[in-house]
Amino acid sequence: MAIEKDDKLNYLNSIRYVLHYPLNTEEKSRALKVFRPVINHKDKFIRLYAFFAVALCTDNWTPCLDEFSAILNHSINGTERLLTALLLVTINESNATLDFALEHRIRNEKSSRVLAAVGEALANRNNEKAVLEILRRRFDDIRDMFSAPLKRIRFSNSKAGIQLFESKHVWLRKIFCEVVGSYEAPSPATQERLSQALNDPDIDVQVFALDSYKRFTPSPKALSRILELTRSKFVDIQAPAFLAMKRAAPSQASLTRLLEGLEHPIGRVRKAALRALPNQITKANAEIYQSLVPLFQREKNLSIREDYLLCLRLSCPSPENLVLLIESFLREESKNNPDFLSDIRDMVDAGYSFSQLGELLKPLLKNERAVMRSHALLTYGVLGQKARPFLNVVNALKTDSKVEVRFTASVVSAILNAKEKQALELIRKGLEAEQDLVRLRAISCLGFISKIEDSDIDALIKLLDDRWWNIRCLAIEELGRIGPKARKAAAILEKKYWSFGETCRTEADLTLRKIRGPQ
């Protein structure tokens, strides 16, 4: 929050920060120290920003309203009046203020940024009345700025939703679908409107409506239309239509259509059909796996073959089919792709283990790539005592040329010898190692330990500030695996959330849910 007093752009960015992120008491105190000293600044813009920031941090809007009203009534600077009016929209719901804000638009970078900030404030304050007023006007030139805020409004009544749904503007109808898609349980009336959106004359609106069904189960009427759309002549419609079937109740018609989709000539459509399949499979129709095996064997697309593995892992397949897939992956794709080995480790961790697996892994211990040798060792570690017959080949890698491979071999050797305490000591040293890859492997090896102590959780929390994002991400994932016992990490994850990259934020969302358990 440190800013130069005469740098207007930095003041504006600071305002956006205060608008966008909920501040705790300490952060509000810091913000007030920045903005209070400049409330009487000679520059009216800076004074404007300062008043607004102080009001946000203290929730005392009276001084702010007085100052803004004076500028609005007496300033001869059109930009200044515009910014003032736009900021007033967030605290004053009068139509007159909103009229002024919308009728005195100007095109320049600073006003655009403030306009976007105001949109965020409207969404953060859930100002539905202001949003309704905006929707009654033509404002195509600023629609992009208000698109994101509109999606975040949780409409308390159906008027705003109806206006979005019935709008003649395609982009507003798309926003309606996106807003509904963010709901956990839309009302029956809202679901009915969403099913009508599947018949929208604009293809983009249909796609957005289909995407919304990823969150909840389509009604029989909607499912019937979704099945029709899987046969659309447009590939851009077919793929999301198949994905929209994922939450649908299994039926013979849907299963038949999904199996047809698995033989579609376009890879993107095959991939979508495959991803929609697991929830459709029950004990009553488990024979569907007999159809998947030959389809898998004929599939040439590497990414789709990986999805077959994931599909079978999620859907409790028969051991025979799973062995077939594991053997195929270990003999073909995974020779040079460590991600496939990671998938196989997950399958073993989920309760699957096969005598063939240890033999299939042996060639990978001699792979020219160190990452492959490390992943093979980690898979032996997941097998635990079942992999003891392969202890000699594991020990052979204790003298590997790569330090991370030597480290992983030492830990796995201790695990296979039932010396968990020794393994844990090695892991703790590895978490503090200078070499990045050793720290990374040490985090993975923590999964072999049955009893994680508070000091180990503290070590993972420390790694949330690691210089390498891969380590930060894996540390977040491991905290999620530990679950509620790592509860003290929740507050730290929330505090650091916006400093993480997108991948780490996604992992943090999952970890926070695992740590907190059912709400």
Side-chain angles (χ1 to χ4, degrees):
M1 294 291 292
I3 50 182
E4 298 296 328
K5 289 186 178 180
D6 293 319
D7 189 338
K8 296 179 186 178
L9 183 58
N10 280 339
Y11 271 99
L12 181 54
N13 288 336
S14 297
I15 284 289
R16 286 173 62 77
Y17 180 90
V18 173
L19 279 166
H20 193 68
Y21 305 120
L23 303 185
N24 59 34
T25 304
E26 181 183 349
E27 290 167 331
K28 285 182 179 179
S29 177
R30 281 205 308 272
L32 288 171
K33 287 180 181 178
V34 171
F35 288 107
R36 266 186 172 144
V38 290
I39 280 180
N40 296 314
H41 196 280
K42 62 182 179 180
D43 189 300
K44 289 182 180 178
F45 283 110
I46 294 179
R47 194 162 70 242
L48 185 72
Y49 301 149
F51 265 109
F52 194 66
V54 170
L56 278 171
C57 293
T58 61
D59 204 26
N60 179 12
W61 296 95
T62 303
C64 196
L65 280 168
D66 293 341
E67 173 72 12
F68 286 5
S69 297
I71 294 175
L72 191 60
N73 293 328
H74 303 296
S75 175
I76 60 173
N77 185 311
T79 303
E80 189 173 279
R81 294 200 312 275
L82 171 68
L83 301 185
T84 305
L86 289 173
L87 291 176
L88 269 171
V89 171
T90 68
I91 51 177
N92 184 344
E93 294 184 343
S94 73
N95 289 351
T97 301
L98 203 56
D99 286 340
F100 183 93
L102 295 173
E103 289 170 8
H104 292 76
R105 298 188 301 276
I106 56 175
R107 294 172 182 268
N108 70 55
E109 184 180 6
K110 288 180 180 176
S111 66
S112 297
R113 291 186 181 212
V114 173
L115 187 59
V118 170
E120 291 173 6
L122 287 171
N124 287 343
R125 296 171 71 85
N126 206 28
N127 192 330
E128 183 177 341
K129 183 176 180 181
V131 172
L132 283 169
E133 290 296 325
I134 290 170
L135 294 180
R136 292 194 181 105
R137 292 162 170 79
R138 296 175 61 85
F139 64 113
D140 288 353
D141 54 332
I142 60 173
R143 68 185 185 187
D144 291 339
M145 296 175 194
F146 274 95
S147 292
L150 279 172
K151 295 169 194 171
R152 301 207 330 259
I153 290 283
R154 301 293 294 183
F155 297 116
S156 59
N157 64 54
S158 60
K159 288 183 180 178
I162 291 173
Q163 278 202 274
L164 286 171
F165 173 67
E166 295 179 347
S167 172
K168 64 181 179 181
H169 297 294
V170 170
W171 73 276
L172 284 175
R173 300 202 300 276
K174 286 158 62 174
I175 286 176
F176 166 80
C177 296
E178 284 196 272
V179 170
V180 174
S182 69
Y183 292 174
E184 291 292 344
S187 67
T190 301
Q191 288 203 48
E192 173 60 26
R193 281 192 284 275
L194 185 63
S195 67
Q196 292 176 34
L198 294 172
N199 294 290
D200 194 279
D202 189 273
I203 292 176
D204 285 343
V205 176
Q206 293 182 26
V207 170
F208 275 71
L210 288 166
D211 285 342
S212 297
Y213 282 105
K214 293 176 183 177
R215 297 275 300 207
F216 51 86
T217 303
S219 65
K221 176 182 176 181
L223 181 57
S224 175
R225 174 58 179 161
I226 290 169
L227 283 169
E228 290 178 10
L229 292 175
T230 63
R231 303 180 188 278
S232 168
K233 62 181 179 180
F234 301 106
V235 174
D236 287 344
I237 288 281
Q238 291 178 12
F242 276 113
L243 287 172
M245 295 169 62
K246 187 172 180 66
R247 289 183 176 269
S251 68
Q252 191 59 46
S254 63
L255 280 171
T256 300
R257 183 63 193 129
L258 285 169
L259 286 174
E260 291 172 354
L262 292 176
E263 301 190 69
H264 195 281
I266 305 297
R268 183 152 57 99
V269 178
R270 295 200 303 277
K271 194 177 185 74
L274 185 58
R275 290 189 171 185
L277 196 55
N279 288 8
Q280 297 276 335
I281 298 173
T282 65
K283 289 182 179 179
N285 55 34
E287 69 277 0
I288 192 172
Y289 282 102
Q290 301 305 317
S291 304
L292 291 185
V293 173
L295 287 172
F296 165 75
Q297 292 172 327
R298 293 199 300 269
E299 180 59 61
K300 301 299 182 184
N301 186 301
L302 190 61
S303 174
I304 298 176
R305 286 172 69 85
E306 183 182 9
D307 280 349
Y308 269 97
L309 183 63
L310 181 63
C311 170
L312 292 171
R313 189 183 89 205
L314 293 176
S315 307
C316 300
S318 65
E320 296 79 12
N321 288 345
L322 198 54
V323 168
L324 173 67
L325 292 176
I326 287 178
E327 288 180 353
S328 178
F329 272 92
L330 286 176
R331 287 171 178 159
E332 299 171 25
E333 289 88 348
S334 69
K335 286 179 181 177
N336 290 295
N337 192 332
D339 290 339
F340 289 114
L341 275 179
S342 179
D343 280 336
I344 289 170
R345 286 210 310 280
D346 289 342
M347 296 166 71
V348 174
D349 203 21
Y352 300 110
S353 60
F354 309 97
S355 58
Q356 304 100 311
L357 187 55
E359 288 293 339
L360 290 168
L361 288 168
K362 281 175 67 175
L364 298 179
L365 294 175
K366 298 179 181 180
N367 191 285
E368 61 182 10
R369 297 179 65 200
V371 64
M372 294 301 298
R373 301 196 297 275
S374 294
H375 275 274
L377 286 167
L378 289 170
T379 309
Y380 278 117
V382 174
L383 285 170
Q385 294 299 297
K386 297 186 181 80
R388 188 172 174 80
F390 304 95
L391 184 59
N392 288 338
V393 293
V394 169
N395 285 336
L397 289 181
K398 288 183 178 181
T399 58
D400 193 272
S401 60
K402 297 292 185 179
V403 62
E404 71 272 14
V405 178
R406 296 197 300 270
F407 167 80
T408 309
S410 298
V411 174
V412 172
S413 177
I415 292 295
L416 300 192
N417 279 312
K419 296 179 180 178
E420 188 173 298
K421 186 175 180 181
Q422 178 185 336
L424 184 55
E425 290 175 358
L426 291 169
I427 291 168
R428 286 170 176 167
K429 291 179 181 178
L431 292 173
E432 297 179 351
E434 178 62 27
Q435 298 89 348
D436 292 347
L437 286 172
V438 172
R439 296 198 304 281
L440 192 71
R441 301 296 174 235
I443 298 172
S444 296
C445 289
L446 263 181
F448 306 151
I449 305 302
S450 58
K451 187 177 180 181
I452 300 294
E453 298 180 5
D454 283 348
S455 60
D456 304 316
I457 296 172
D458 291 336
L460 288 172
I461 291 173
K462 184 178 178 181
L463 290 174
L464 298 179
D465 292 316
D466 196 273
R467 63 188 176 219
W468 192 19
W469 75 269
N470 269 345
I471 290 178
R472 297 195 296 272
C473 198
L474 193 59
I476 295 170
E477 183 180 342
E478 183 61 20
L479 287 168
R481 188 194 66 80
I482 294 170
K485 190 175 179 180
R487 186 173 293 275
K488 63 181 175 181
I492 299 170
L493 282 171
E494 287 181 333
K495 186 174 182 179
K496 296 180 179 296
Y497 185 85
W498 290 106
S499 67
F500 293 142
E502 183 178 354
T503 303
C504 288
R505 288 201 301 271
T506 300
E507 197 61 52
D509 287 332
L510 295 172
T511 291
L512 285 169
R513 287 200 289 270
K514 292 176 182 177
I515 288 176
R516 289 170 174 154
Q519 298 295 308

